[in-house]
Amino acid sequence: MRKLIYGINLTMDGCCEHTSIPHVGDDVHQYFRELLEDSGTLLYGRKTYELMVPFWPDIARSQSLDESSNAFAKAFDRLERVVVSRTLDNADERTTIIRDNLKEEVLKLKQQAGKAISTGGVALPAELIELGLIDEFHVVVHPFLCGQGRRLFSEMHLPETMELKLLSTKTLPSGCIALRYEKF
């Protein structure tokens, strides 16, 4: 069964809005590029999907950013994409839309052959965690305090505490700390 891996950037005070992190360095792009290279499918909610597509596929074609961003874009663009949305009318040719039966549809994805499934964002991953579907967590903590903004999982409800096992830590040159956990 394929793993479902959740990756997210956070500030030191737990803010997860992408606009709260002043810049993402080459080392963070490299970290997430490597994570994508070990994945075969991306799974996003509508908001994250619309943030990522068509931006990264366009960069993959134009190669118009710096080397690490261009490499991330290429890794992103080669993956199949699945978006969970009841409101999205259509998606690009590489994307399938899930409209309902989230748990069943994600379990079907996990049972397919291939590399891991990678997810990001906040709302959909919180729901996937509540359903017990996330297998691994990659949290990159940035050395910033933003003081305001959306906090990770502030709306999530778990029936009991979920224990995680630390698999690795990595200090990136920018001062970010990459934490990798798996569900017990």
Side-chain angles (χ1 to χ4, degrees), residues 2 10-11 14 19 39 44-45 54 66 95 123 125 130-131 134 140 143 159 161 163 176 178:
R2 298 197 293 171
L10 286 180
T11 62
T19 56
S39 299
Y44 291 143
D66 60 83
T95 304
E130 288 174 356
L131 292 170
I134 301 283
V140 176
T161 301
E163 280 193 65
C176 295

Side-chain angles (χ1 to χ4, degrees), residues 8-15 21 28 31-32 138-145 152 170-172 174-179 181:
I8 188 77
N9 288 298
L10 286 180
T11 62
M12 283 287 297
D13 55 347
C15 188
I21 298 173
V28 175
Y31 180 84
F32 282 110
H138 290 247
V139 179
V140 176
V141 181
H142 292 253
F144 303 108
L145 298 171
L152 188 61
K170 183 176 183 179
T171 302
L172 304 180
S174 62
C176 295
I177 305 293
L179 304 167
Y181 293 92

Side-chain angles (χ1 to χ4, degrees), residues 16-126:
C16 56
E17 291 183 54
H18 72 282
T19 56
S20 297
I21 298 173
H23 54 81
V24 174
D26 292 350
D27 55 348
V28 175
H29 276 132
Q30 179 178 334
Y31 180 84
F32 282 110
R33 177 187 49 80
E34 290 170 0
L35 184 60
L36 291 181
E37 288 173 347
D38 291 334
S39 299
T41 303
L42 293 167
L43 175 64
Y44 291 143
R46 182 191 53 81
K47 288 180 184 177
T48 302
Y49 175 79
E50 290 177 337
L51 180 69
M52 304 294 272
V53 175
F55 181 80
W56 288 112
D58 287 349
I59 297 302
R61 284 185 286 285
S62 70
Q63 293 289 285
S64 58
L65 295 178
D66 60 83
E67 185 178 336
S68 67
S69 297
N70 290 340
F72 175 86
K74 282 180 156 180
F76 180 94
D77 193 45
R78 74 166 179 75
L79 299 173
E80 294 298 319
R81 297 182 277 270
V82 177
V83 62
V84 177
S85 176
R86 290 186 179 100
T87 60
L88 189 66
D89 292 326
N90 53 25
D92 74 355
E93 66 280 352
R94 305 276 321 254
T95 304
T96 303
I97 301 173
I98 294 176
R99 298 208 183 275
D100 52 21
N101 302 316
L102 178 63
K103 185 171 186 175
E104 294 80 15
E105 293 298 324
V106 172
L107 285 172
K108 285 180 194 174
L109 285 173
K110 289 180 77 168
Q111 291 169 358
Q112 294 174 357
K115 291 182 173 184
I117 303 163
S118 182
T119 192
V122 180
L124 176 63

